[in-house]
């Protein structure tokens, strides 16, 4: 009850805030030569910000909102520059790249940039983003070692064996290794090959991007990584930062210009900086595990619900004002049925003559790539995890566990293959063959959909499929991705589809439109309680959470191992 009242009070505050904003706060006066001050901290997400996160006071913000503000600042000739106060950041590689590109866009328009690092602990995103600024300053009390990249994988097979749980699975594609986390005690050769290739690709871009921004050689950056500098002075010695200073001193050294805070600058309208849209494009967010049904969140977990996403695409297609659709995807995959339902909606839209461009965020793997393959053009960041064209099914056999804990079970079935519905006995050879055939059928449909959407031969898709995950850079080389970049590049591709000039302004309209706060509150409270998981490593906890949302014992389109590189 107390939690409900807390949420209700938070919702009331949000309603009051929205009312204040909606009544039309006056456009602020921006003095010539002003400096915009922005804090980059917390989590940046594609799509809607979960209301429950807001009510809990979590710092969760819209990635598109941030990059839109930076693009607005880039066009604002009243601004001398932008100063970033960078603290704890939670952003995936593709999201970090999106922010970096927006910072680099400020330079191109003549805005000066400064990033002040106030960070401690491990993780590369804060520095990677900061390195895009023309000046980088580390605060004296900071301590964030520059260590390079690492990925860690957990295998539960040995634990389940001790518990008496047997894990049966079928998969298509030797690289489709999500099942290994549950069934095996270590990484397969194929999975190790794939993982090393992914990390190599991300590492190459990571080092080259920092080297270019900091005007260092790649060898110098790698030498810095190997020496693991952590103290601010050590970072300066390696040329990774320009100075060591507290926030106030860094801001003062940047110049004595008038300063404007982010919340004030948010009231500056696009029209005030010369924005004149020549076209309207819809942006549809397809975020989270791909599931059948309606909705945007399961608790605070975003989901790509087939009915909701397909409806948004069809509504945008029916809107005569909308000339193209940008489909923003961040998903590790999920249900084949849900993926196909969204795929069909995209194909219908294309057949009606309205182009769809897929913009891939951190991941568009397996079912996420299935959806993307229906688009006219696929745009990906170099570090996006994509592809994973493969299928698996996983089935725990719990008889041994029940025996250990003294729990008796007696199955009774009707039908020769009804043992597929049980959780206590291994499958017979005949039933396993049926299950294998089911997985193969799903894989063939996956291949057919990608081949049709991409204009490829099925054999060519199979050659780069088999469960293999690629980075966006690699996917571009093998023909699974058309262009490299973020949302701006996707918008540019859509402009080209309709014959619009590259420099023309475009207004992005969110589909579906944001719901009223009261409706969001009701839906959030009806969403139930998320499954509480042990404090396992993030990638495994995420995989377990997603499997909870999807049907067990049926084929699944999920990226192997839920790969995370830090």
């Amino acid at each position: 009850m107390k939690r409900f009242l807390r949420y209700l009070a938070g919702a009331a505050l949000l309603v009051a805030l929205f009312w204040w904003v909606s009544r039309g706060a006056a456009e602020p006066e921006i003095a010539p030569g002003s400096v915009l001050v922005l804090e980059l901290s917390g989590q940046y997400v594609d799509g809607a910000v979960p209301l429950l996160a807001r009510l809990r006071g979590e710092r969760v913000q819209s990635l598109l909102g941030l990059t839109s503000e930076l693009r607005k600042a880039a066009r604002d000739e009243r601004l001398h520059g932008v100063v970033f106060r960078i603290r704890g950041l939670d952003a995936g590689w593709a999201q970090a790249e999106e922010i970096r590109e927006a910072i680099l866009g400020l330079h191109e328009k003549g805005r000066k940039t400064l990033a002040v690092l106030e960070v401690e602990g491990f993780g590369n995103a804060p520095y990677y983003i900061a390195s895009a600024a023309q000046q980088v300053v580390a605060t004296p009390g900071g301590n964030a070692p520059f260590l390079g990249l690492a990925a860690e994988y957990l295998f539960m097979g040995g634990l389940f064996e001790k518990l008496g749980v047997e894990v049966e699975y079928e998969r298509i594609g030797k690289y489709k290794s999500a099942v290994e986390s549950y069934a095996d005690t270590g990484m397969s050769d194929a999975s190790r090959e794939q993982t090393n290739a992914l990390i190599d690709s991300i590492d190459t871009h990571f080092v080259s991007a920092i080297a270019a921004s900091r005007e260092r050689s790649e060898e110098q950056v790698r030498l810095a990584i190997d020496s693991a500098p952590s103290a601010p002075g050590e970072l300066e010695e390696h040329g990774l930062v320009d100075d060591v200073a507290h926030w106030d001193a860094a801001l003062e050294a940047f110049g004595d210009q008038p300063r404007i805070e982010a919340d004030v600058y948010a009231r500056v309208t696009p029209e005030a900086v010369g924005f004149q849209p020549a076209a309207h494009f819809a942006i549809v967010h397809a975020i989270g595990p791909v599931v059948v049904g309606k909705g945007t969140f399961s608790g605070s977990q975003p989901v790509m619900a087939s009915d909701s996403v397909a409806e948004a695409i069809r509504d945008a297609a029916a809107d005569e004002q909308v000339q193209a659709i940008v489909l923003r995807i961040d998903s590790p995959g999920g249900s084949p049925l849900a993926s196909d339902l969204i795929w069909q909606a995209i194909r219908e839209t294309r057949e009606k003559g309205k182009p769809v461009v897929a913009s891939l965020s951190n991941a568009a793997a397996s079912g996420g790539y299935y959806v993307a393959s229906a688009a006219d053009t696929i745009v990906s960041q170099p570090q996006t995890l994509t592809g994973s064209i493969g299928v698996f099914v996983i089935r725990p056999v719990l008889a041994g566990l029940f025996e250990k804990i003294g729990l008796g079970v007696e199955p009774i079935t009707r039908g020769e293959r009804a043992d597929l519905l049980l959780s206590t006995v291994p499958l017979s050879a005949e039933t396993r063959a049926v299950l294998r055939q089911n997985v193969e059928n799903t894989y063939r449909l996956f291949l057919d959909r990608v081949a049709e959407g991409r204009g490829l031969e099925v054999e060519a898709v199979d050659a780069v499929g088999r469960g293999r995950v690629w980075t966006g850079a690699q996917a571009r080389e093998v023909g699974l991705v058309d262009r490299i970049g973020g949302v701006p590049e996707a918008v540019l591709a859509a402009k080209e589809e309709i014959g619009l000039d590259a420099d023309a302004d475009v207004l992005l309209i969110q589909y579906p439109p944001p719901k009223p706060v009261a409706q969001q509150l009701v839906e959030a409270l009806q969403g139930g309680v998320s499954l509480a998981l042990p404090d396992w490593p993030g990638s495994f906890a995420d995989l377990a959470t997603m499997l909870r949302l999807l049907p067990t014992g049926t084929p699944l389109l999920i990226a192997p191992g839920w790969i995370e590189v830090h």
Side-chain angles (χ1 to χ4, degrees), residues 215-351:
E215 298 182 345
R216 313 288 288 175
S217 69
E218 293 185 18
E219 182 181 8
Q220 287 175 312
V221 174
R222 292 197 182 280
L223 286 172
I225 289 172
D226 291 340
S227 65
S230 58
E234 294 173 341
L235 296 173
E236 186 178 11
E237 288 174 10
H238 284 280
L240 298 173
V241 303
D242 299 292
D243 195 7
V244 178
H246 289 292
W247 166 252
D248 290 337
L251 201 57
E252 184 177 341
F254 190 66
D256 192 26
Q257 296 87 357
R259 298 169 193 168
I260 180 168
E261 298 296 328
D263 57 343
V264 176
Y265 192 73
R267 303 206 312 269
V268 173
T269 63
E271 291 76 15
V273 296
F275 180 78
Q276 296 179 327
H280 294 73
F281 291 173
I283 183 164
V284 177
H285 287 93
I287 311 299
V290 191
V291 298
V292 175
K294 289 188 174 183
T296 307
F297 296 96
S298 174
S300 58
Q301 166 78 45
V303 293
M304 190 196 303
S306 58
D307 295 354
S308 296
V309 175
E311 182 180 3
I313 293 168
R314 290 190 174 103
D315 286 348
D319 188 339
E320 294 181 0
Q321 187 181 31
V322 171
Q323 294 173 260
I325 298 171
V326 175
L327 180 65
R328 180 69 170 176
I329 300 173
D330 189 3
S331 172
S335 160
L337 173 58
S339 302
D340 198 63
L341 292 171
I342 300 171
W343 188 94
Q344 293 287 356
I346 298 170
R347 292 296 290 175
E348 290 171 14
T349 299
R350 288 181 59 185
E351 289 167 4

Side-chain angles (χ1 to χ4, degrees), residues 368-416:
Y369 185 78
Y370 191 126
V371 169
S373 70
D376 292 273
T377 304
I378 300 179
V379 180
S380 169
Q381 290 289 12
Q383 314 94 320
T384 299
L385 300 179
T386 191
S388 190
I389 301 168
V391 187
F392 76 87
V393 63
I394 191 167
R395 177 180 181 272
V397 180
L398 304 177
L401 173 62
F402 291 168
E403 183 179 352
K404 285 178 179 291
I405 63 176
L407 182 62
V409 178
E410 184 173 342
I412 299 175
T413 62
R414 296 293 185 273
E416 290 293 328

Side-chain angles (χ1 to χ4, degrees), residues 52 56 182 288-292 296-303 332-335 392 394 396 526-534 536 539-554 556 558 562:
L52 284 177
R56 288 195 292 258
Y182 292 90
V290 191
V291 298
V292 175
T296 307
F297 296 96
S298 174
S300 58
Q301 166 78 45
V303 293
S335 160
F392 76 87
I394 191 167
Q526 290 176 343
V529 180
S530 297
L531 178 67
L533 290 170
W536 291 322
S539 59
F540 184 82
D542 289 342
L543 178 60
T545 299
M546 187 172 73
L547 288 176
R548 176 183 62 84
L549 298 173
L550 298 169
T552 57
T554 59
L556 298 173
I558 301 175
W562 201 296

